[in-house]
Every structure is written in structure tokens, then in C-alpha cells.
Amino acid sequence: MTGTPPELKPTRELAEQLGGVLRGARYNTGGLMVALGGEITTSKLKAPVQDRRLGDEHLAQLARLFLLGVPVETETARRALVPADLDELTEAGLLHQEGGTVKGAIRVTPYAGLLLAHDSDSAEHLHSDIVTGVNQAAKTLASLTPREEVSTALDIGTGNGLQALLAAVHVDHVVATDVNVRALGFTELSATLSGLTNIEVRAGSLYEPVQGERFDLVVCNPPYVISPDTRFVYRDGGMRGDDMTKLVLTQMPEHLNEGGLAQMLGNWVHAEHEQWSAPAKRWLEGSGCDVLLLHHASVDPLNYAETWIKAAAATEPKDFPEALDRWTDHFAELGIERVASGAVTLRRRSAATNWAAELEMPRAPVAAAGDHVLRLLDAQDLLRDGGDEVLARQVFAPLAGHRIERVSVYSDEGYGEEASQLIPQGDAGMEVGVDDLALALMRRLDGERTLTEVEAGLASEIGAEPGTLLEAVLAAARSLYERGLMLRISDPGPPDDEPAT
Ligand SMILES: C[S@@+](CC[C@H](N)C(=O)[O-])C[C@H]1O[C@@H](n2cnc3c(N)ncnc32)[C@H](O)[C@@H]1O
């Protein structure tokens, strides 16, 4: 591990030139996948393989510099970077020249149409203020964030700027904060490389840089890992137990505009026989926000330590047992029995009676799942305010692009249906089994008829009176709706003969 990380000091003009070079050469997910034969990976062992797979074209040289970090002959690199000047880029800390070759001093990862600048994760760059690339947690938060067009957003602990940049596409003005000033340099560089001009960076811890300010959207992927270490700023919040998650969460409501949404990831401690959601619910009581908790998993201290020690990729195998002991001793000292990981959505509705709901999210979300999160909020609002009567008069449509996966097992009696799952396109990582009635209901939703009318149709198909199946249909509909698997079109209101309350 070296003590001195590269200092980034490109002028805006130089960063714009580099952005133009990268975008012009199709340095994006599609272009790089073609150049690399299908797989974009930056792992250390893969880089030499990928290097040999690349040709000599313009994009290949840029990929060597900024994706793989392998050396490129100086004059070749100079030509590939024009109009950006190789020596200026070196001086600005973006390249490293040695002998007759040049290497990228930073990495640039394409993601969702953006270019994200960050440190390399190779051993010599594992300094405490390393700014990491696009990892699974970052992708999870990015997927779950609702993407409504609003005026202001805040990204706490912005790192390479991923969440801030994604927000900048649908929000007028984004404030990105980090305690690590190197992260702010990377965020500014990422924004310029991606051609975005509506991101303001501010240095400081958590909400310090935005005291007294409120936003329409707040996102945060905090350094939530519970650990005895203070080795990496991005990972170890330096607080006791789950205080980092608690602090971020409990201060969020006061930075949200009325109706504003916040999305964060976190880890929190719970007792072995306690419901995983209980601590987070306690923290947010009386917050003026509706709370949606999505649970990924709860694990014991040994599993937790293993996951995070390995994830840092900084522990030699010979040091691993010692690190495990250090971490698990620390957890024992704090009396930690289980650690939950998950996502929390807040929506500020201070005049309302707020609700708190919990759902399981065993898988990582797929693609853009922000709409799924919005449907989960809509369902809680409606189902908590009204009972079956209100549900029965709603109009629903199936989700565009959803799929149904069915598992059938063969026996002497032929194929027996074992399980069916309904999976939306862009889902929040839920595995939702559906039974035959739910499938029958889904097939008949048309975005025009109320559930009462759909049930009447279903009943008549089997020669029964309307209403015969209503209880079962409403139970199936409730289960699909509260998991965000049907789209509510409208609420036609109470029937004419029923006075509105
Ligand atoms: C897990 S990384 C997330 C980075 C990025 N937002 C993402 O989603 O990939 C956590 C970030 O929080 C920053 N951080 C750590 N402690 C902080 C604090 N007290 N206040 C603000 N940011 C902090 C780290 O520097 C790091 O950039």
C-alpha cells in the first residue's frame, strides 16, 4: 500500500477534452463490450488477458489506459488522446508516464450512459481515501432510486459521483457531498467527462454541508459496514456498531421537502429473535415520513466479517484468520447477534398518519427498479387507507414487459405445477410466487375494468354468481399489488349510490 494517492487537478477544459475523446471513440458499455469480446472487467488477473484481446484501434488504446490500466507506448497514447494533451493529463494526475510508456493513473468506468472516474483497486492504490469504482451496492442503490423529474437532489457520500450523476439526468440541481475531498475531485471529473453541468460538490461530514436545506430527493450509500477497522473511508464509517446507518437515516427526514423521497442502503444490528425491521422502525418513529424497508438478508457476525474482509480485497490469505478474530471479537464486545442489510425508502408526509412497511428483497434489484419502489409506496398508501371495498373498485393493468416463470416437475402422473413466479421488467429484487388464481387474475387485467368487474367475469367463466370469488380475488390482488406486481390505473371513486366520505 502506498501512502500518496494521485492528486487530481485537471482544468475543466482538459476534462472536457478528455470526455470528448472518450465519448467520440465510443468508450461506453456497448463499444467496450464489442472491443473486449463481450466482457467488461477490470480485475487485475483479467487485465493482461483483455489487453491481448484488444486490437490497435483508437478505442482499444483508451481502454488500455483507462479501463485496464496496462501500459501503452507513449506516442501511441499521445495520438489516441488528441486534442487532450498527454503531458497536461500527466501533470493533472490522470496519467502516469514511465520510460517510453504511459499508464492510466485513474480508471474510467462506463455505466448507464455515464463515465465514472475513480481509483484503480490494485494493491498499490489501496490507500485509506481510495475512491472505488461501481460495485454491487452502488448498482443496487442506483436501481432502487425513483427517477421522477424534480428540482433538487442531495447525494451524501458521493464517492465517484455515480448516484449524483444519475440524479443529474432527471433533477435540475444536484448537491454531492463527501468527507473525502478526493471523492469530490472524482465526482467533478465524472460529471465533466459525462457532459453534465448541474452538480455542485461540497466537502464535509454527512449533512454538515447542507445544514438547514431540504431536497426533493436524497440518496445515500453510506460507509455502513460495521467493523472494528478505520482503514478505508469508503467502507468504515468510524462509528460504533450501526451508528452510521442510524445517523444517516434519522437525519434524513429534516432534509426532505414535503412529498420528497429518500433512498439509502444500510446495515443494522438486531437481536437473534427480533424482527429484522424493528430497530429501523424504532429510529424513524415520529419522523414525519412513510418508511419502506426492503430486507436483503440478516447474517451472523462470522458470516458478516467474512463477507466484508474479503470485499476489501486488502487482506492477505495469511492474515485472514487474525482479521476474522478481530472482527468477531469486536462484534461480541458490542453484543451483536445479527446484522441486517437492506434498503430504506422514506417519503416525507408530515401532515399524514405515517406508515412503515417491510418486504423481503432476497435478490439484487434488476435494471431500473425505481418505478417498482413507487408502486410499493402507492400500494401501502391505498391498502392502509382503505380496506377491500376500496381495493375492489380499483382498475389495474399488468406491468409492461413482465414475465411469468413456471416450474413443472414430471412424475408418473405427468407434469405437476410446482411453482410460478411473476417477475416485472426492472424489479426491486423480490421473488414472488403466484398461485393459479393470481395468474388467472393477471391474465384478465385490462386497465379498464375494476377488480369487481374482473371477478364477475371470472365467476361467470365457471358458471358461478358474481361475487362468489370476490374474497379470494381480492386476497390475490392485494398480494400482487403490495409487492408492486400490478399497475394501478385509477380509482374511479365510490359507486354512484354510495356517498363519498
Ligand atoms: C460506500 S461509498 C459510496 C460511494 C458512492 N455514493 C456509491 O454509491 O458508490 C461511501 C462514501 O461515503 C463517504 N464517506 C465516508 N464517511 C463519510 C462522512 N462522514 N460524511 C460524508 N461522506 C462520507 C466515503 O468517502 C465514500 O465516498
Side-chain angles (χ1 to χ4, degrees):
M1 179 162 45
T2 60
T4 346
E7 195 190 336
L8 288 185
K9 38 185 183 170
T11 60
R12 172 174 278 280
E13 191 190 356
L14 185 64
E16 279 171 356
Q17 283 174 345
L18 180 60
V21 170
L22 293 171
R23 293 198 305 269
R26 296 202 65 231
Y27 191 103
N28 53 37
T29 311
L32 288 168
M33 279 176 80
V34 171
L36 289 164
E39 193 189 9
I40 301 183
T41 170
T42 53
S43 85
K44 278 159 274 177
L45 284 179
K46 266 286 187 190
V49 180
Q50 303 284 44
D51 181 21
R52 284 156 179 77
R53 193 161 278 148
L54 287 169
D56 289 329
E57 73 280 10
H58 188 199
L59 177 60
Q61 307 303 358
L62 296 173
R64 286 192 174 93
L65 290 171
F66 294 113
L67 194 71
L68 305 180
V70 296
V72 174
E73 190 270 322
T74 306
E75 288 315 309
T76 306
R78 194 182 295 284
R79 282 194 298 277
L81 291 161
V82 171
D85 181 73
L86 180 107
D87 300 311
E88 276 182 48
L89 288 166
T90 308
E91 180 62 22
L94 308 190
L95 294 174
H96 179 70
Q97 292 191 45
E98 203 175 282
T101 62
V102 183
K103 274 168 93 170
I106 61 159
R107 297 288 177 273
V108 179
T109 299
Y111 186 78
L114 304 169
L115 292 174
L116 296 151
H118 55 89
D119 280 315
S120 146
D121 65 356
S122 62
E124 71 267 28
H125 293 117
L126 290 176
H127 35 79
S128 66
D129 54 1
I130 182 172
V131 176
T132 54
V134 180
N135 58 26
Q136 184 52 55
K139 289 181 193 171
T140 295
L141 179 61
S143 288
L144 292 175
T145 302
R147 302 284 168 202
E148 294 172 311
E149 292 193 2
V150 290
S151 298
T152 55
L154 168 66
D155 176 19
I156 299 278
T158 192
N160 59 43
L162 169 63
Q163 315 298 339
L165 268 69
L166 286 170
V169 175
H170 60 100
V171 178
D172 295 337
H173 184 73
V174 180
V175 175
T177 73
D178 208 293
V179 77
N180 178 358
V181 289
R182 293 189 69 248
L184 299 180
F186 275 113
T187 296
E188 285 190 309
L189 179 57
S190 299
T192 309
L193 294 179
S194 306
L196 292 165
T197 54
N198 54 341
I199 299 173
E200 178 193 348
V201 301
R202 297 189 200 168
S205 182
L206 299 184
Y207 298 95
E208 259 170 31
V210 291
Q211 271 181 26
E213 290 177 62
R214 290 181 187 270
F215 299 83
D216 300 322
L217 174 69
V218 178
V219 288
C220 183
N221 175 14
Y224 51 70
V225 180
I226 300 166
S227 93
D229 294 345
T230 47
R231 186 163 178 190
F232 298 110
V233 187
Y234 81 88
R235 185 193 70 178
D236 310 308
M239 292 187 194
R240 193 179 157 82
D242 54 15
D243 281 356
M244 174 57 80
T245 298
K246 181 177 176 183
L247 206 63
V248 173
L249 206 45
T250 52
Q251 291 184 9
M252 255 177 179
E254 68 201 63
H255 293 282
L256 273 179
N257 281 326
E258 203 54 30
L261 290 170
Q263 187 69 62
M264 75 169 282
L265 302 182
N267 282 180
W268 59 90
V269 173
H270 64 96
E272 182 137 21
H273 300 296
E274 181 183 34
Q275 175 69 4
W276 60 266
S277 55
K281 282 185 175 173
R282 270 196 303 274
W283 296 339
L284 290 160
E285 252 168 48
S287 67
C289 287
D290 299 314
V291 182
L292 175 68
L293 296 158
L294 299 179
H295 184 224
H296 176 57
S298 287
V299 295
D300 67 21
L302 184 58
N303 272 323
Y304 188 80
E306 179 192 9
T307 303
W308 284 105
I309 295 168
K310 280 184 184 165
T315 307
E316 294 295 328
K318 68 175 175 30
D319 301 327
F320 189 46
E322 184 276 327
L324 277 178
D325 283 343
R326 192 159 38 82
W327 280 54
T328 49
D329 287 353
H330 176 74
F331 295 152
E333 238 170 70
L334 296 179
I336 294 175
E337 293 175 353
R338 309 282 289 173
V339 183
S341 59
V344 186
T345 312
L346 302 184
R347 182 185 52 189
R348 190 170 176 87
R349 282 200 310 156
S350 38
T353 306
N354 295 125
W355 50 257
E358 61 217 43
L359 288 165
E360 293 294 332
M361 179 185 64
R363 281 187 294 104
V366 178
D371 282 351
H372 194 170
V373 169
L374 291 175
R375 290 196 299 276
L376 299 175
L377 299 181
D378 177 60
Q380 290 299 326
D381 288 344
L382 186 110
L383 294 173
R384 282 169 193 258
D385 278 358
D388 278 356
E389 264 173 51
V390 175
L391 184 61
R393 60 171 189 258
Q394 305 304 311
V395 174
F396 291 96
L399 302 172
H402 80 270
R403 65 181 196 276
I404 289 170
E405 290 182 357
R406 313 186 74 155
V407 177
S408 304
V409 175
Y410 186 74
S411 71
D412 291 348
E413 287 159 27
Y415 286 100
E417 198 84 349
E418 286 283 300
S420 300
Q421 283 201 358
L422 194 156
I423 302 161
Q425 191 180 51
D427 75 291
M430 290 170 194
E431 283 169 6
V432 187
V434 279
D435 61 15
D436 287 346
L437 181 62
L439 288 174
L441 172 64
M442 285 300 296
R443 288 205 182 90
R444 286 157 183 83
L445 293 178
D446 56 9
E448 288 178 6
R449 291 178 299 162
T450 64
L451 284 181
T452 308
E453 290 162 345
V454 172
E455 186 275 340
L458 256 176
S460 83
E461 285 175 36
I462 56 165
E465 289 294 310
T468 320
L469 302 173
L470 194 58
E471 200 180 324
V473 164
L474 291 180
R478 175 179 284 267
S479 161
L480 289 166
Y481 180 37
E482 69 190 0
R483 288 168 180 76
L485 302 180
M486 313 191 299
L487 182 65
R488 187 163 71 100
I489 299 296
S490 65
D491 177 352
D496 290 344
D497 56 351
E498 192 184 307
T501 48

